[in-house]
Amino acid sequence: MQTVAQLLTIMIGSSLINNVVLSQFLGLCPFLGVSKKTDTALGMGLAATFVITISSLVCGVIYKFILIPLDLSYLQTIVFILIIAMLVQFVEMFLKKFVQSLYQSLGVFLPLITTNCAVLGVALLNVQNEYDILQSTVNGFATAVGFTISIVILAGIREKIEYNDIPESFKGMPIVLITAGLMAIAFTGFSGLK
């Protein structure tokens, strides 16, 4: 049985120290594409949190109780992709039915959660790190929280610098990439928390 300290270490490590976007550089497509407004970024972060957390749980259960006993662990990537695609479809249907405004603002980036390498990366890292089901779920949730923190911070900065006097050659995506790079440097400061 895990202690609370072990789970807390996984949470801090996954959300801040090994931030999926800023230190592992996974999930950059929605990070750069949906971070124009904080509301949209928060919505994407919450949708990704749901998908990553639930997929970590479901993938952990399927891997431990089906793939390992049947000696089918070589199929893990295909199975994980199918689980993630199913969960994203569920989120898309839910948002379309109940949160129409968020569904419209996320646009094409919502189905792209299926191909978001961060979601699959977390499921594969859970297997690689030999996490049990609870540790996998906590790692998935913490990783998603780190993704949400990153995308919301970038969106807030982008909203603030939108009306700044930026040289023409840096306007648009160049200043966003510079900002993301500076955020990645700033997040390396959390490595002292180990």
Side-chain angles (χ1 to χ4, degrees):
M1 189 75 185
Q2 295 79 247
T3 64
V4 175
Q6 289 172 325
L7 295 177
L8 191 59
T9 301
I10 291 172
M11 287 189 74
I12 291 172
S14 296
S15 61
L16 298 176
I17 298 169
N18 297 317
N19 186 286
V20 70
V21 176
L22 298 174
S23 72
Q24 297 178 4
F25 306 111
L26 297 174
L28 290 176
C29 179
F31 177 69
L32 296 173
V34 186
S35 60
K36 291 180 183 172
K37 299 283 181 214
T38 12
D39 298 344
T40 308
L42 182 62
M44 175 57 107
L46 294 175
T49 299
F50 175 80
V51 171
I52 292 173
T53 305
I54 300 300
S55 69
S56 294
L57 172 69
V58 173
C59 289
V61 168
I62 289 177
Y63 184 77
K64 182 173 183 175
F65 295 113
I66 297 175
L67 297 180
I68 293 291
L70 296 176
D71 197 27
L72 297 172
S73 60
Y74 59 91
L75 293 175
Q76 69 187 8
T77 304
I78 295 169
V79 171
F80 292 172
I81 289 172
L82 292 173
I83 291 167
I84 292 165
M86 177 192 65
L87 288 170
V88 170
Q89 287 301 311
F90 174 74
V91 169
E92 189 173 5
M93 289 186 305
F94 176 82
L95 290 179
K96 189 174 184 179
K97 178 88 170 158
F98 297 108
V99 192
Q100 189 72 277
S101 60
L102 180 60
Y103 176 79
Q104 294 295 329
S105 63
L106 290 176
V108 70
F109 291 100
L110 186 58
L112 283 179
I113 295 176
T114 304
T115 59
N116 185 346
C117 53
V119 183
L120 180 60
V122 171
L124 294 173
L125 283 172
N126 288 338
V127 170
Q128 180 183 353
N129 293 333
E130 298 178 357
Y131 287 156
D132 62 23
I133 295 169
L134 178 60
Q135 289 172 327
S136 294
T137 307
V138 168
N139 184 49
F141 176 74
T143 301
V145 167
F147 175 81
T148 304
I149 290 169
S150 302
I151 196 170
V152 169
I153 289 173
L154 182 63
I157 294 171
R158 284 180 77 172
E159 285 180 354
K160 294 289 183 190
I161 65 172
E162 184 176 348
Y163 302 108
N164 289 359
D165 187 25
I166 299 169
E168 192 64 36
S169 59
F170 286 105
K171 286 187 179 177
M173 195 51 67
I175 195 67
V176 173
L177 292 173
I178 291 169
T179 304
L182 292 173
M183 285 176 59
I185 292 169
F187 265 67
T188 61
F190 288 119
S191 63
L193 293 175
K194 287 182 181 179

